Amino acid sequence: MYFPGRYTDNVVITGQTPVYFVSGVYYFEKALRFSGDAKVVVGAGATDGCIDSDAIAVADAGYADATSNGVGGTFVFGAQGRMIIDTATASGTGRGVNITFNRRLVDPTDPDVIMNNIAIMSVNGVVAGAVTNDYDLPGVMKVPHSMVNATPPVEPLNEHYAASTLVPTTVPLTGAFPCAPPPAAPAATCPILDINLTTAMPVTVNIPGYISVPQGGVSLNTALLMAANKRITLGGGVLTGTIGVSATLPGYLQIGLLNSVVQKTFKVVSQTTNSTPRVTATALIQVNQTGGFAINSWVTSFG
């Protein structure tokens, strides 16, 4: 199990033991790598992890700093932080890599509600001494620097968040642009999200939330003849400074927004108990597969 917090060393997951990231926000300053037989679920939600619930996970941890928050998970990458999914480590079982993010949702009154539905994001800007400035590459892109949510907003360095140093400045002409996994140090041009599929090992990646790395890069590389048994879904939308995709695509690839699956629609009718005046309110409520809901119509009548 991993718990929300700040990770300043490389995290490499390749073994056969299922791994669960307890619901919440994670901050990484170095590489987070999944390879080999990594079977990972991020946060509680539609896909069950290896733990029955976040409450059980926290109780089992047995230490005071273990916490959880909302459901689903958000990974925040600053400094040299990046997420790598590759097939460089051989599978010992033949099942390969399986990574699933559950959609991030918190209570509407929680200050973190502004990060709902975000799966992956970067800390933006350029560190200049004790402050973070906007990232400005004239004629290419300008990205406002990140601030920590508060009233008023707080300089990220004051809360131990450093702007990402991985800032590709041009769109690669040769498609994908993967970088070497740790312990190799990343170049500034390395992608923040690096999916590098070079063997026949099965790989499944399901990220239904939003990916926001506006001054960084996303790379998806599939080697020639290695498309079979590769299923990549980035279904929440992608905002990135540059994206590179190889000429060979995974056997299944979905990038963009997925419409929410409607699980059920309810008609709720409420009436006053007195006969005069009689007030009737009729609402049509849609409940989605994600647990989100919407009031499609609400009509109030008198008579």
Side-chain angles (χ1 to χ4, degrees):
M1 290 181 294
Y2 287 82
F3 290 89
R6 183 169 180 259
Y7 292 80
T8 56
D9 292 321
N10 293 322
V11 177
V12 178
I13 299 172
T14 61
Q16 299 176 19
T17 302
V19 172
Y20 180 61
F21 284 79
V22 171
S23 298
V25 178
Y26 295 75
Y27 172 63
F28 299 93
E29 288 197 338
K30 288 192 176 179
L32 170 64
R33 176 178 174 241
F34 304 113
S35 190
D37 287 304
K39 181 175 175 59
V40 177
V41 174
V42 180
T47 300
D48 291 331
C50 59
I51 300 296
D52 291 338
S53 72
D54 288 327
I56 293 175
V58 171
D60 285 350
Y63 61 93
D65 291 337
T67 60
S68 66
N69 171 261
V71 297
T74 296
F75 287 176
V76 181
F77 293 94
Q80 294 184 335
R82 56 190 178 129
M83 181 168 132
I84 304 165
I85 301 170
D86 67 35
T87 56
T89 299
S91 170
T93 65
R95 74 187 185 197
V97 177
N98 191 312
I99 313 295
T100 299
F101 278 68
N102 279 313
R103 194 179 296 273
R104 177 72 177 145
L105 295 169
V106 300
D107 187 276
T109 61
D110 192 304
D112 286 340
V113 70
I114 60 172
M115 293 174 66
N116 271 359
N117 291 314
I118 297 178
I120 295 171
M121 64 181 294
S122 57
V123 182
N124 304 316
V126 178
V127 173
V131 299
T132 305
N133 296 327
D134 295 346
Y135 176 75
D136 189 2
L137 187 63
V140 179
M141 71 175 79
K142 182 172 183 178
V143 179
H145 67 280
S146 298
M147 298 290 283
V148 176
N149 184 39
T151 305
V154 177
E155 158 65 43
L157 288 172
N158 294 348
E159 297 295 327
H160 308 289
Y161 290 96
S164 175
T165 60
L166 306 184
V167 285
T169 56
T170 58
V171 177
L173 299 178
T174 55
F177 53 113
C179 282
T189 54
C190 286
I192 291 177
L193 175 58
D194 187 351
I195 302 175
N196 191 20
L197 314 176
T198 56
T199 74
M201 186 171 73
V203 174
T204 299
V205 179
N206 182 20
I207 305 177
Y210 181 40
I211 297 172
S212 176
V213 290
Q215 70 183 40
V218 173
S219 173
L220 173 57
N221 179 57
T222 307
L224 185 65
L225 304 179
M226 297 302 169
N229 300 314
K230 306 297 192 298
R231 186 177 181 89
I232 310 297
T233 302
L234 310 179
V238 180
L239 173 65
T240 178
T242 182
I243 185 168
V245 180
S246 59
T248 300
L249 300 178
Y252 178 89
L253 174 62
Q254 190 274 317
I255 300 179
L257 293 172
L258 288 177
N259 290 328
S260 296
V261 176
V262 179
Q263 192 170 42
K264 198 163 187 178
T265 301
F266 296 90
K267 181 179 182 180
V268 180
V269 180
S270 303
Q271 274 188 336
T272 56
T273 56
N274 55 308
S275 58
T276 304
R278 176 60 62 86
V279 181
T280 302
T282 303
L284 296 179
I285 301 174
Q286 168 186 313
V287 179
N288 298 328
Q289 186 182 37
T290 61
F293 68 92
I295 300 174
N296 292 337
S297 69
W298 191 342
V299 178
T300 304
S301 59
F302 301 85

